[in-house]
Amino acid sequence: MNKRTSASYIIENVNLWTEKQVFSNARIWVESGRLKAINPAGDIAGATVVNGQGQVLMPAGVDAQTHLRVPGQAHKETPETGLTALLKGGYSAVLTMPNTNPTIDSVEVLEKGRAEVLPFEKEFGVNVFWSAAITKKLNSDDLTDYQKLVQAGVRAFTNDCLGVQSDEV
């Protein structure tokens, strides 16, 4: 475990938003990257104290339609710039879209994209979930191999903005 994730912190003077309530002027204890307690009593040995300066602390979001442009479109976005923007925007997980170059329509292309993203996913802690095209090359004619893609970890299927044009398909 690296030093950044194994540390212990007390974050004071924050407005903590949870799914159940808002804690005004809260004091929270975070250890190893996990919330341990809200308004813990007393000092926590070895914890670094951080003044939240009255800011809002809330759960991170999930972006269910992200264009990471991986693989093949580094001229538009790189895994590093994409995941940095997501993290700074308050997101901890994303679902990528398959309109890449080549299209994410096979396990081989999926694995190529994963290999490009993985170092930055680990560095920034943003979870990347993958979608694949419904049809090969997003052309709405030939279906992708759903079973293999699901077994490889694809979470969703979409032809993104194109849709499937044929009722038969």
Side-chain angles (χ1 to χ4, degrees), residues 64-153:
Q65 187 181 6
T66 298
H67 295 272
L68 281 182
R69 310 297 182 190
V70 176
Q73 296 174 326
H75 61 286
K76 293 182 178 180
E77 180 95 89
T78 67
E80 181 177 21
T81 60
L83 294 185
T84 298
L86 287 159
L87 184 61
K88 289 187 178 222
Y91 292 92
S92 65
V94 299
L95 177 68
T96 66
M97 293 295 102
N99 60 334
T100 55
N101 188 14
T103 302
I104 300 173
D105 59 6
S106 68
V107 173
E108 295 77 24
V109 176
L110 172 67
E111 292 305 326
K112 182 178 182 186
R114 275 192 176 142
E116 290 181 35
V117 169
L118 187 60
F120 302 102
E121 189 176 9
K122 287 181 177 179
E123 180 179 349
F124 299 129
V126 175
N127 293 312
V128 177
F129 300 109
W130 295 84
S131 70
I134 295 170
T135 59
K136 293 179 182 174
K137 298 183 182 175
L138 301 171
N139 68 10
S140 296
D141 292 331
D142 299 315
L143 293 174
T144 57
D145 189 334
Y146 295 115
Q147 188 172 5
K148 284 184 181 177
L149 287 161
V150 168
Q151 289 172 345

Side-chain angles (χ1 to χ4, degrees), residues 3-56:
K3 184 177 180 182
R4 184 172 60 190
T5 59
S6 64
S8 182
Y9 297 94
I10 296 292
I11 305 173
E12 299 179 327
N13 189 25
V14 293
N15 295 306
L16 176 64
W17 295 9
T18 72
E19 70 278 2
K20 295 181 181 168
Q21 73 182 85
V22 174
F23 295 88
S24 298
N25 196 30
R27 180 174 186 259
I28 64 167
W29 175 26
V30 177
E31 186 172 81
S32 299
R34 301 278 185 220
L35 178 65
K36 298 292 279 186
I38 299 171
N39 294 322
D43 294 330
I44 307 296
T48 301
V49 177
V50 176
N51 184 344
Q53 301 177 2
Q55 297 296 309
V56 171

